[in-house]
Amino acid sequence: QLGENQNALAALRTALSHTKQDENSKLREILHRGSRCSYELGDYKEAIAQGELAIRLNRHFDGVYKYVALAHIALQDWDLAILTMRRAVAYETPWDCGNVSLLRSELSKTRQKRLLATAPPRPEQAEERQRNKAARIEPLGAESERAENGFEDAPGPPGAGSLSLDV
């Protein structure tokens, strides 16, 4: 399949070099939509390939960088995702202040996602997860042991509630 895709992309690039300007805009639109479809189908590498071809045809086309960046995010290639978003801010529609502002906001969100995805858990989070995990695990046979000792109404795992015994 990889060979077929590579051959198809090579043929597409050859066809691009022989098209007229108005045909380029149609082809760019097709590639842009193909990038979105590939992204939605989970074929992130194909989404990137088609999106990058669309960008080469017209880097000033509204929305042309979106699915390339999203595909990089899905692949957790944070550096390329951020680079793609930076290029979107610079080139996509620099004359449209509203879109530039939106793209800057998306760039900031992508940077935050990268920090969250690559940051090690804080020690207190790890300790809390361990405590929660330990509280949920009841030793095997503990339920029948409580019943044998007359503690059927006792709360779940030891330490989960208070129980007083008169001896």
Side-chain angles (χ1 to χ4, degrees), residues 16-146:
L16 287 175
S17 66
H18 298 293
T19 58
K20 297 177 185 170
Q21 185 62 33
D22 61 328
E23 291 174 349
N24 274 348
S25 65
K26 291 176 188 172
L27 190 52
R28 184 228 340 108
E29 180 68 27
I30 291 168
L31 288 167
H32 175 63
R33 290 176 189 225
S35 178
R36 178 181 180 177
C37 290
S38 295
Y39 172 79
E40 296 294 341
L41 292 170
D43 190 352
Y44 304 124
K45 291 182 180 185
E46 183 63 21
I48 292 166
Q50 290 183 7
E52 286 179 348
L53 283 174
I55 290 168
R56 286 184 194 146
L57 287 170
N58 183 355
R59 66 182 181 179
H60 299 296
F61 181 66
D62 188 23
V64 75
Y65 293 86
K66 179 178 181 176
Y67 293 98
V68 175
L70 288 173
H72 283 304
I73 290 169
L75 294 170
Q76 295 189 355
D77 193 341
W78 298 105
D79 293 336
L80 284 176
I82 289 170
L83 179 64
T84 301
M85 290 304 300
R86 289 178 62 209
R87 287 180 177 160
V89 170
Y91 301 119
E92 188 170 293
T93 53
W95 56 87
D96 182 351
C97 295
N99 192 50
V100 169
S101 177
L102 177 67
L103 291 169
R104 284 185 177 147
S105 173
E106 291 300 319
L107 174 60
S108 177
K109 289 177 188 177
T110 302
R111 287 178 173 151
Q112 290 172 350
K113 287 178 187 177
R114 176 182 61 177
L115 289 175
L116 291 173
T118 59
R122 296 189 315 257
E124 61 270 12
Q125 288 176 322
E127 291 170 10
E128 183 178 344
R129 283 189 201 134
Q130 193 63 27
R131 282 193 307 273
N132 290 340
K133 184 177 178 182
R136 288 192 304 264
I137 298 174
E138 185 171 333
L140 188 61
E143 189 175 303
S144 61
E145 184 180 302
R146 283 196 313 272

